[in-house]
Amino acid sequence: MSEEQNKSLNFVEQEIETDIANDRYPKHIHTRFPPEPNGFLHIGHATAICLNFAIAKKYNGKTNLRFDDTNPTTEKTDYVDAIKRDIAWLGFKWDNELYASDYFDTLYEYAVDLIKKGLAYVDDSTSEEIAEMKGTPTVPGKDSPYRERSIEENLDLFSRMKAGEFPDGSRTLRAKIDMQSDNMLMRDPLIYRIKHEHHHRTGDKWCLYPMYDFAHGQSDSLEKITHSLCSLEFIHHRPVYEWFIEKLEIFPSRQIEFARRNVAYMITSKRKLLKLVEDGVVTGWDDPRMSTISGLRRKGYPPAAIVKFCDSIGVAKRENVVELEMLESFVRAELNKIANRIMIVSDPIKVTITNYPEGESEMLPAINNPEEENSGSHEIPFSKEIFIERSDFMLDPPKKYFRLAPNKTVRLKYAYIIEAESYEQDENGNIIEVKCKYYPSSKSGSDNSGIKVKGVIHWVDAKAGVPVRLNEYDKLFTDPTPTSHEGKDYLEFVNPDSLIINNKALAEPYIKEAKPLDYFQSMRKAYYTVDQESTDDLIILNKTVGLKDSFKKKQQK
RNA sequence: UGACCCAUAGUGUAAUGGUAACACUACGGUUUUUGGUACCGUCAUUCUAGGUUCGAGUCCUAGUGGGUCAACCA
C-alpha cells in the first residue's frame, strides 16, 4: 500500500483528489464502465476498465458495469455475455450490473420535465433538414420552425410518439439550447428518436429511444457516479452533459476525458473489427490475431499481463501509440513466472545416437519451471533415435554458432553431450539424418566427462514424441497504424502471413497432460497456449509470443 | 472566418516553480545446462519565440505542429 501511495498521481487522480479536498463529493467516489453491447471488448477497453476499477479501489469506491443499450438496432445479448466474461477474466468484479435501458421510464419522465420547463420540443423536420439547419463548425445554425411550439402541443406530440402513432424518423425530441453555439453539440441536440424496433431487454415496450446525450449522463447521475471517465472525443459533449444535469436538477456527476490508448498493429474500432469477422479475414471475434480481450486470451496472454500493461502505460490527454513490444514484454514477464517449460521440435531432423544401446530407453528428469521453485518436475524419455531442430544443425556454421555441426559437440538439454560424426542428405541436399555419438559420462546432473560445451539444444524422443499442431501467429497487420492512412483502406495492410500452421512439430509426451488455456514455454522458442479446439487426437498450440532471440538479431546485422 | 484539446528520449508515462526520472525498444557487457531469465552500462538543447521569477519542462502571451467537432451511433 505504501508503495502505491508513493506513486505519482495521474491527471485523473489529481482531479479526484482536488474534488475530495474541495468536498465536492463528500460521501463517496464511484466510477463506471459503460460498454455498448454491440461488439467484443478490445485492448482499448481494457485500459478503460483497468482505469475505472483502479480508481474506485484506490479511493474505496465502487465501479458499476453499465451497458449503454440505447440503440436496439445493433445491440445483442450475446455481446452482453461476452463482455461480462471478458471483464471477469481480467479479474475485475463490478459492484452492480446495470443497463441504460433500466432507466427508460425515468428518462422519459426527465424528457417530459424538460418539455414542461420549455427546454425541449418536438421537431417534425427530416434528418436532412435538421442537418441543414445545424450549420457547420464555422457557420452558426438556424432555429427550427418547430422550436417555438407550445408546451401543450409538445407534451401531446411526445406522448403520441411514445404511443407509436408516428413512423420512424418522422419526429424527434430536441433540447432547446442554442443554435448559435460554437459547439455543434449544443445546437439543439436530438434527445429522442422513433425506432419501432425490438430491444434486447425491453422487448417491444418502446418505439422511442433516447440518444447517448440523453442517457449517459442521466444514467451516471442516477447511479451517483462521481467521476465519469470517457475518451477525448466526448469532450465536446461535456457542456451538454452538464446542461442536462443542471436543468434536470439531478446528481452532478463529473465527466473527465482521457486519451484512449492505442497499441501499434492493433485496431480498436468495433466496426472495423466486426468487418474482419464478417469478411472472414479472421475466424471470429476470439481469433488469436484479434485485438479483442477474447482474442488475446485465446492467444495465451495472461490476464495479469494485460492489467499490468494497462496500469504501467498510464493515462493522459495526448494522442498516443504504445509500441507492441511494451505489451509483449509484460506478457513474457508474466509467462516466465507461470509457464511450464517443455521441449517442442518445430522442424525436426532425425538424430541417431550410434553408440546408444539398441532398444533401450531411459527417463530423464526435467524441471517444470526454473523460475518457480514449487513448480515441480516431470520426466522425459530418451533413446537411440531422437529429433532435433533443423536450425540446430549446420554443415558450415558461422563463427559464433554454438549448436551442432560436423565434429562439433552440443548438449542435449537434460540429457547428454553428443558429437556429430556423419550425416545423410537427400537428392536436393537437405539433411535427413545426423549420426552422433554420445558421452555416457556427460549425463545431466552427474556430468564428470570434463567436456565443455557452449550450446544446449532441445530435442524430442523419436518413438515417444507427440505430433502437435502449432499455430504460428504473427501481427495481423503489416503497418503499426493501419487505419491512419488517408486514401488507403486498413484491409490493404492485412498480413498474409499472420497465421502459419505447422503440422510437423513434435512435442515431448508431457504435453498430453495439457488442458485448454494452459501456458507453456517451448524452450528456446516461444510461449504457447493450448487452443480450445484441441482434441485427444490432436493437440493444437497457439503461439503467444516468441522468446527474445539475441542470436538471430546478431545474424540479421 | 470558428470553438475546443494536446505538445518531455525511438515509444509510453513522471517530475505539482528548485539536479529532467521510470518502463519498453535499441546498442554494448556479465551470468547461465533455454543464444531465454537475471544483472550492469550507453542513449534528451523538455516544439519555437518572447515574458514573469533569484530560479521555468512546469506560470503568462504569441506562433508552429498535431488532434477533435457538422450520425435520428455511442
Side-chain angles (χ1 to χ4, degrees), chain A residues 445-489:
Chain A
S446 57
D447 183 1
N448 53 23
S449 67
I451 303 169
K452 289 261 191 294
V453 291
K454 262 299 219 185
V456 178
I457 63 172
H458 61 282
W459 53 276
V460 167
D461 183 78
K463 271 197 292 293
V466 179
V468 294
R469 172 174 149 188
L470 260 27
N471 285 335
E472 306 283 10
Y473 290 109
D474 196 357
K475 303 178 184 82
L476 219 208
F477 297 101
T478 54
D479 184 277
T481 54
T483 59
S484 70
H485 300 275
E486 228 171 294
K488 280 199 173 183
D489 192 82

Side-chain angles (χ1 to χ4, degrees), chain A residues 4-213:
Chain A
E4 217 168 286
Q5 282 164 351
N6 288 337
K7 262 172 70 179
S8 57
L9 303 177
N10 63 47
F11 87 96
V12 176
E13 292 165 339
Q14 287 173 27
E15 292 297 329
I16 290 174
E17 300 215 341
T18 302
D19 288 343
I20 291 170
N22 294 340
D23 238 18
R24 181 166 174 175
Y25 298 107
K27 298 208 173 77
H28 63 277
I29 295 296
H30 280 194
T31 60
R32 103 268 89 115
F33 176 64
E36 184 189 9
N38 66 345
F40 276 48
L41 261 24
H42 52 63
I43 186 69
H45 293 114
T47 59
I49 292 167
C50 292
L51 215 211
N52 278 293
F53 279 96
I55 280 174
K57 188 178 176 193
K58 182 165 189 165
Y59 297 102
N60 297 313
K62 292 180 177 172
T63 302
N64 287 347
L65 169 59
R66 181 175 70 237
F67 290 95
D68 229 333
D69 56 351
T70 57
N71 182 6
T73 312
T74 54
E75 295 155 3
K76 285 195 240 163
T77 304
D78 290 352
Y79 291 132
V80 169
D81 297 338
I83 288 167
K84 285 163 62 179
R85 188 189 60 220
D86 288 345
I87 298 171
W89 177 74
L90 284 174
F92 297 107
K93 291 188 179 69
W94 50 89
D95 288 280
N96 300 291
E97 177 183 333
L98 300 162
Y99 296 79
S101 53
D102 293 339
Y103 311 129
F104 281 174
D105 287 304
T106 309
L107 261 15
Y108 182 84
E109 292 308 317
Y110 282 170
V112 170
D113 181 41
L114 239 34
I115 293 172
K116 287 179 177 167
K117 286 173 173 164
L119 295 173
Y121 61 97
V122 172
D123 196 329
D124 301 356
S125 308
T126 64
S127 66
E128 292 75 24
E129 288 166 340
I130 288 174
E132 175 65 31
M133 288 184 286
K134 214 153 221 186
T136 72
T138 53
V139 178
K142 294 191 203 70
D143 287 0
S144 164
Y146 304 97
R147 199 172 198 260
E148 299 306 329
R149 272 220 252 245
S150 71
I151 289 173
E152 293 67 34
E153 189 182 5
N154 279 321
L155 251 18
D156 175 59
L157 285 170
F158 189 52
S159 70
R160 288 164 63 194
M161 281 166 68
K162 184 191 180 195
E165 289 188 27
F166 310 118
D168 289 4
S170 60
R171 284 184 165 85
T172 56
L173 186 70
R174 300 179 70 179
K176 195 190 283 186
I177 307 182
D178 179 8
M179 291 304 291
Q180 317 282 82
S181 174
D182 284 324
N183 182 344
M184 296 290 295
L185 291 156
M186 291 290 270
R187 321 242 264 229
D188 289 9
L190 271 59
I191 59 180
Y192 265 98
R193 79 284 216 188
I194 300 171
K195 266 181 190 263
H196 288 83
E197 208 141 350
H198 188 84
H199 186 277
H200 76 117
R201 295 189 81 241
T202 60
D204 298 314
K205 178 176 176 187
W206 296 90
C207 61
L208 200 58
Y209 293 95
M211 300 288 288
Y212 168 85
D213 281 319

Side-chain angles (χ1 to χ4, degrees), chain A residues 136-410:
Chain A
T136 72
T138 53
V139 178
K142 294 191 203 70
D143 287 0
S144 164
Y146 304 97
R147 199 172 198 260
E148 299 306 329
R149 272 220 252 245
S150 71
I151 289 173
E152 293 67 34
E153 189 182 5
N154 279 321
L155 251 18
D156 175 59
L157 285 170
F158 189 52
S159 70
R160 288 164 63 194
M161 281 166 68
K162 184 191 180 195
E165 289 188 27
F166 310 118
D168 289 4
S170 60
R171 284 184 165 85
T172 56
L173 186 70
R174 300 179 70 179
K176 195 190 283 186
I177 307 182
D178 179 8
M179 291 304 291
Q180 317 282 82
S181 174
D182 284 324
N183 182 344
M184 296 290 295
L185 291 156
M186 291 290 270
R187 321 242 264 229
D188 289 9
L190 271 59
I191 59 180
Y192 265 98
R193 79 284 216 188
I194 300 171
K195 266 181 190 263
H196 288 83
E197 208 141 350
H198 188 84
H199 186 277
H200 76 117
R201 295 189 81 241
T202 60
D204 298 314
K205 178 176 176 187
W206 296 90
C207 61
L208 200 58
Y209 293 95
M211 300 288 288
Y212 168 85
D213 281 319
F214 202 68
H216 200 101
Q218 288 76 356
S219 301
D220 286 339
S221 184
L222 286 164
E223 294 172 20
K224 303 279 192 290
I225 298 302
T226 54
H227 298 272
S228 179
L229 313 180
C230 62
S231 53
L232 239 35
E233 59 199 290
F234 290 97
I235 197 158
H236 303 291
H237 291 254
R238 194 168 70 223
V240 183
Y241 185 100
E242 290 170 349
W243 191 88
F244 283 128
I245 283 173
E246 185 198 324
K247 302 303 179 191
L248 259 12
E249 301 170 81
I250 53 179
F251 180 82
S253 301
R254 177 179 176 196
Q255 173 177 309
I256 297 176
E257 311 84 14
F258 63 90
R260 69 163 203 228
R261 323 305 309 191
N262 300 292
V263 180
Y265 299 100
M266 291 188 169
I267 62 172
T268 50
S269 152
K270 278 193 276 189
R271 194 180 57 76
K272 292 188 172 110
L273 287 168
L274 176 63
K275 187 166 167 59
L276 292 174
V277 175
E278 286 176 339
D279 289 5
V281 176
V282 295
T283 57
W285 283 98
D286 69 344
D287 186 294
R289 292 165 293 184
M290 293 282 271
S291 57
T292 53
I293 309 286
S294 299
L296 300 177
R297 171 172 56 236
R298 192 168 174 188
K299 193 180 179 186
Y301 280 29
I306 297 172
V307 172
K308 286 177 183 172
F309 166 76
C310 291
D311 289 346
S312 80
I313 58 177
V315 58
K317 295 181 80 162
R318 57 172 162 166
E319 294 293 311
N320 61 82
V321 182
V322 184
E323 289 171 337
L324 215 212
E325 288 77 6
M326 180 86 171
L327 211 201
E328 289 184 334
S329 79
F330 279 91
V331 172
R332 288 196 193 94
E334 206 58 33
L335 256 12
N336 184 46
K337 290 188 295 185
I338 62 177
N340 282 351
R341 272 53 171 178
I342 192 167
M343 295 202 282
I344 301 175
V345 175
S346 58
D347 185 6
I349 50 174
K350 188 177 170 186
V351 169
T352 301
I353 319 272
T354 53
N355 58 338
Y356 195 86
E358 193 83 44
E360 274 190 30
S361 75
E362 60 188 306
M363 297 301 284
L364 304 167
I367 298 163
N368 285 338
N369 183 353
E371 302 294 325
E372 172 53 56
E373 258 184 58
N374 302 316
S375 62
S377 64
H378 65 276
E379 292 194 313
I380 306 175
F382 179 82
S383 67
K384 189 179 180 72
E385 291 184 343
I386 62 170
F387 287 100
I388 66 166
E389 205 70 64
R390 182 164 297 280
S391 58
D392 286 340
F393 178 77
M394 273 186 93
L395 248 31
D396 190 19
K399 286 159 296 295
K400 292 200 169 170
Y401 185 81
F402 303 145
R403 312 173 198 175
L404 199 61
N407 303 313
K408 299 273 185 162
T409 55
V410 76

Side-chain angles (χ1 to χ4, degrees), chain A residues 527-540:
Chain A
Y527 289 102
Y528 289 91
T529 193
V530 181
D531 190 77
Q532 61 204 31
E533 288 179 4
S534 288
T535 63
D536 290 342
D537 296 327
L538 179 64
I539 293 169
I540 302 170

